[in-house]
Amino acid sequence: MTTVSRDSLPGVSPPPSLHGCNTLQPCWRLEVAVQTPAHSALGDLLTYASTVPMAPGALVRVPLGRREVLGVVWACAERSADDSALELKTVAGVLDALPPLDSGWRDLVAFAARYYQRSLGEVALAALPPQLRDLTSQQLARRLKRRATPVPAPDEAATDPAQAVALSGEQSAALARFEAETGPFLLFGSTGSGKTEVYLRAVAALLARDDKAQALVMVPEINLTPQLEARVRDRFEARFGVGAVVSLHSGMTHPQRLASWLAAHSGQARIVLGTRMAVFASMPLLKLIVVDEEHDPSYKQQEGARYSARDLAVWRGQREGAKVILGSATPSLESWHHSRPAEGDDTGGRYVRLAMPGRIGDGALPTVRGVDMNLQPPKTVLSAALLDAIGQRIARGEQSMVFLNRRGYAPVLACGDCGWKSECPHCSAYRVFHKIDRTLRCHHCGYTERVPRACPACGNPDIAPVGRGTERLEEHLAELFAPVRRPDGSAVRIARIDADSTRKQGALARKLAEVHSGEVDVLVGTQMIAKGHDFRRVTLVAAVNPDGALFSCDFRAPERLFSLLMQSAGRAGRDANYLAAQGSTAEMWIQTHHGRHPLFQALRQHDYPAFAKQQLDERRAAGMPPFAFQALVRADARLQEVAQDFLNAANAAADVLPHAPHVARYPAVPLSIQRVADVERAQMLVESGSRVALQRFLADWQPLLHGLRREPVGKGVIRWLIDVDPQAI
C-alpha cells in the first residue's frame, strides 16, 4: 500500500502530533472498520497507520482505494519493529469533536456481524447516519456548535398528566412485576388493553429515578412513529426539556437523522423512538428497551445485513444491563415459546410473561362473525349480511373498516380471447392494474406502462381486470352505498389507505386525521390500517379475502395471517364509552371459504394461546423453528441454472466442513418469485437442531463460498448472501 499524505486531503484537519513521534514515520497501528464492498473478502478490519494513539470507537477518515471513507477504530497498538517496515496508508483525519462509540455499541455491532454472517465494517457503517460519512471534522464541529445553542430548561415541577389516570389492575400488576424482576419481559396484552401506557409509565419511572438514563422505544412501521412521537412528546418534554425526545427512522431526511443520532450519542436525548434501525443507535446510558408489536415481520431487515432488530434488542439489553419489554397481542411463536411457564421437567422459557387479557374500562373484544362464502352467489365480493351491517353503522354515524391486503385495482389484466395476461417482462410476476392513473405497474421491479387500448397479443379491445385490490374495492363500496345517507343527510364518504394513496408527503397524516375526526364512514386499506392505530369510532372491521395465506408454502403464513386478523379486529370497539353511547357492539366479520379451519376457530374466541399451542405442536413435530434453527443461502444470476449450480456446488463443497454432519442441507430451488428485474434468484435451505452448530458451519462455509465465486461455477453469479433466521421461505 502507498502512503497518502493528509495534507493533500482538503477540508480534513490532521491529528495533533504526539511527542516523540515523527509525522513522517507514524508509530501507531490502527485496526479500522470500513464499509467494504459486500462479499469482497477483504476481511473485517483494515490496518492503517497513525501518528497518535486513538481510542477504540473513534471515528476517522481513511483512504480506501481512490476514495476517502469514514471508519471506526476497533483497536490501536504501538507499531512493533516487525511491522514497522510495512507501508501502511495513513489516517487522513479524525472526527475528534465526537466522543468515541462505547464498548457496548461496538460489541453489539460485532455480535450482529458475526451472527448474521456479514462484515464488521458493513454493519458498523450502516448503523451510522449517512450524512456523518461525508462530514469533515470542521463541518462536524460547526454542527455541534449550532446544537450547543441553549434550549428552554425542563420544568422540574411539571408532573406527568397521565399519573392522574388510574391504571387497571392488570396494568398495575404488570408494572409491579416489571420493577421487581429482571426480564426480559413479554407483555402479552390484548388490543386495547393499555400496553402503550405500561411502556410510558415504565419509561417515566426510569427517567425519574435516574437523571441520565436513556430509553429506546421501537415500533415496526414508519407510519406509527409520528403518532407515538406526539404522545411521548406531550408526556415528557415539559418534564425533561425540548430535545429530550427524538425519532430515528428511514422516513427522515439525512440532516434530521444526523441530528437525532447526535442527540442520542451525547446523552441529550433521553428517549429515542424509532423503527428497526434504531436498535443500533448510540445510547451510552441506555437502561430500557421497548419493542412494540414485537411479532411484526418489519423488524427483520430484508436488504444488506439481514438482522432481526427484536432479537438484537434482547441481546443488547443483556449486554448493557438494560431491561427489555417485548409487547404484542399476538406474539411471535418464538417469543411465546421463550416465555413459557415452567411445567413438569420443563424449566420454562428465559422470558417473563406479563399477561393483560382484558381491555381498558368496560370494553369488550369484538364479536367475530364468519361468512361462509361457499353459500354465497358466485362472484360475490361483499355478502348481503356484511353490507347490511356496514349500512347500520353508517346510519348511526359509526365507522367501519374493510381490510384487503392487496393494493391496486386488480392483480392482473387479462384477455378472454387469447389468454394474454399483464405479465411483467422483467419479473416472473404480473403487473397490477391501477385504474386511477391507467397504468400497469410491477410491484417487484417498479416497471410501469400505460394500459394498452387492446390486447397486445391478439388485438381484442375487451381486456378486463381479474381479481380485486383495494382501489377496486373502494370503487365497489362507493357504488353500493351511493344511495345511502349519513345521519346529517350527506353522502357516504369512503376513504382508502394503502401504499399508493399515501405516496405523497403528508398524505397519510391527512387521511388519518380525517378518520379520527369522523369525516370517513368506511375505511378501506391494506395492513397499513390493521395495526397500531387507535380509531375510536370504528365499531366494525371486515376481512374480505383472507384465505390465500392458509395454504402458502411458507410455514409462517398461518402465524402472520392470525396476527394480522387479530390486530385488525383490535381496531374495533376501542372506546367503551362511545359504544355505550351509541348503543352499539363491536364486530369483526370474516368472509372465508374455510370457516372450519383451526385458525378461524381460535380467532372466534380471541384465543391466541390455543392457536399458538396448535402451531407449536405442528412445528415441534416437523422440527421447525423455534425447535430448529435455519438459514437461507441465496444466489442471483442472469440464468436460473447458473444460480442453482453455484448453490449446489457450495452444498457439495460443504461436505468437508467439521460441523456438516450436524446441519441438514437441501437442494437449491427457485424463489417463489424467481425472476425480478431480469435477475434469476435461487435459494438453498440449511437447518440444524443446534444454533451453535449452524453458526460454526456458516462461518466455516464463508471462505468456500468466496472461493467458488472466483471459480468457473461462480462466474455468472451476480451476488450471493446468507439470511440467518429467515422470516420468509
Side-chain angles (χ1 to χ4, degrees), residues 216-259:
L216 171 62
V217 181
M218 298 171 59
V219 294
E221 300 281 357
I222 292 175
N223 60 63
L224 299 182
T225 310
Q227 177 180 318
L228 183 60
E229 182 179 17
R231 184 171 175 181
V232 174
R233 287 189 187 281
D234 289 343
R235 291 281 289 271
F236 293 104
E237 279 198 338
R239 299 176 62 201
F240 300 104
V242 176
V245 179
V246 299
S247 291
L248 270 176
H249 56 78
S250 59
M252 303 170 71
T253 65
H254 286 180
Q256 288 173 333
R257 281 176 61 179
L258 177 61

Side-chain angles (χ1 to χ4, degrees), residues 409 435 472-483 494:
Y409 189 83
K435 187 176 180 181
R472 192 176 188 184
L473 182 59
E474 177 191 23
E475 179 183 273
H476 185 60
L477 284 165
E479 293 171 354
L480 291 172
F481 289 107
I494 314 289

Side-chain angles (χ1 to χ4, degrees), residues 71-105:
V72 182
V73 175
W74 226 257
C76 176
E78 194 167 2
R79 296 185 69 176
S80 64
D82 294 334
D83 72 356
S84 59
L86 294 176
E87 192 172 3
L88 300 177
K89 290 188 177 182
T90 309
V91 169
V94 56
L95 303 186
D96 50 7
L98 276 182
L101 295 155
D102 65 12
S103 60
W105 185 90

Side-chain angles (χ1 to χ4, degrees), residues 11-204:
V12 177
S13 60
S17 297
L18 185 68
H19 178 69
C21 184
N22 189 327
T23 57
L24 297 179
Q25 296 292 328
C27 51
W28 294 93
R29 178 191 181 102
L30 303 182
E31 302 296 327
V32 181
V34 299
Q35 192 161 18
T36 53
H39 303 298
S40 60
L42 284 178
D44 277 342
L45 298 170
L46 300 184
T47 305
Y48 292 89
S50 172
T51 60
V52 295
M54 295 186 190
L59 296 177
V60 293
R61 301 199 66 80
V62 295
L64 181 65
R66 297 183 178 181
R67 299 177 298 135
E68 181 193 309
V69 299
L70 183 68
V72 182
V73 175
W74 226 257
C76 176
E78 194 167 2
R79 296 185 69 176
S80 64
D82 294 334
D83 72 356
S84 59
L86 294 176
E87 192 172 3
L88 300 177
K89 290 188 177 182
T90 309
V91 169
V94 56
L95 303 186
D96 50 7
L98 276 182
L101 295 155
D102 65 12
S103 60
W105 185 90
R106 300 196 308 277
D107 287 349
L108 174 68
V109 167
F111 170 78
R114 183 171 65 253
Y115 185 83
Y116 294 105
Q117 302 294 317
R118 307 299 289 198
S119 72
L120 187 64
E122 180 186 9
V123 177
L125 273 297
L128 298 176
Q131 195 173 36
L132 190 60
R133 305 172 203 170
D134 302 323
L135 293 180
T136 65
S137 56
Q138 293 94 333
Q139 291 170 331
L140 179 61
R142 285 196 295 268
R143 286 179 178 271
L144 292 173
K145 186 176 181 180
R146 288 199 299 268
R147 288 187 55 80
T149 303
V151 297
D155 183 358
E156 301 292 344
T159 59
D160 184 350
Q163 296 292 343
V165 179
L167 295 175
S168 69
E170 292 176 354
Q171 288 175 313
S172 298
L175 281 168
R177 288 195 66 189
F178 171 77
E179 293 294 340
E181 301 181 44
T182 56
F185 300 90
L186 175 65
L187 181 59
F188 169 53
S190 64
T191 53
S193 61
K195 293 187 295 295
T196 302
E197 184 60 34
V198 171
Y199 305 151
L200 298 184
R201 292 286 181 111
V203 171

Side-chain angles (χ1 to χ4, degrees), residues 416-477:
D417 286 359
C418 71
W420 171 87
K421 293 181 176 63
S422 55
E423 294 180 351
C424 176
H426 307 293
C427 305
S428 52
Y430 294 114
R431 285 172 293 163
V432 176
F433 173 39
H434 290 259
K435 187 176 180 181
I436 288 181
D437 55 3
R438 301 291 298 175
T439 61
L440 293 174
R441 190 181 309 156
C442 178
H443 290 175
H444 298 280
C445 71
Y447 178 72
T448 304
E449 67 176 6
R450 300 287 296 174
V451 172
R453 295 182 179 275
C455 174
C458 70
N460 173 28
D462 189 18
I463 52 177
V466 178
R468 195 170 301 271
T470 49
E471 191 179 319
R472 192 176 188 184
L473 182 59
E474 177 191 23
E475 179 183 273
H476 185 60
L477 284 165

